[in-house]
Amino acid sequence: MHPNHRPPRAGRKQRTTLRQWIARCQRIALAQVLRGACYGIGTGAIGLAFIWLERLM
């Protein structure tokens, strides 16, 4: 047997249930939405700062 390939653990389910898979996908999707919102807020703030600086000059 190849040393990197371990036998499956006894007593644990091999597959995750559909509910666990959906919960994991929801967490990932929410994290991506939050990340996108943060990038959007930062981009907007930088854009407004440059517009404000242009008007001052």
Side-chain angles (χ1 to χ4, degrees):
M1 179 180 256
H2 196 274
N4 290 338
H5 296 290
R6 295 181 182 170
R9 291 183 177 180
R12 286 190 74 193
K13 291 183 180 179
Q14 288 289 331
R15 300 182 197 167
T16 59
T17 63
L18 182 61
R19 185 179 296 163
Q20 290 171 336
W21 181 80
I22 290 171
R24 186 173 61 236
C25 287
Q26 285 178 342
R27 284 191 302 268
I28 292 169
L30 287 174
Q32 292 297 323
V33 168
L34 178 62
R35 184 179 187 183
C38 291
Y39 276 118
I41 291 168
T43 301
I46 296 296
L48 289 174
F50 274 102
I51 290 171
W52 179 69
L53 283 174
E54 283 181 352
R55 288 186 176 234
L56 287 178
M57 293 181 166

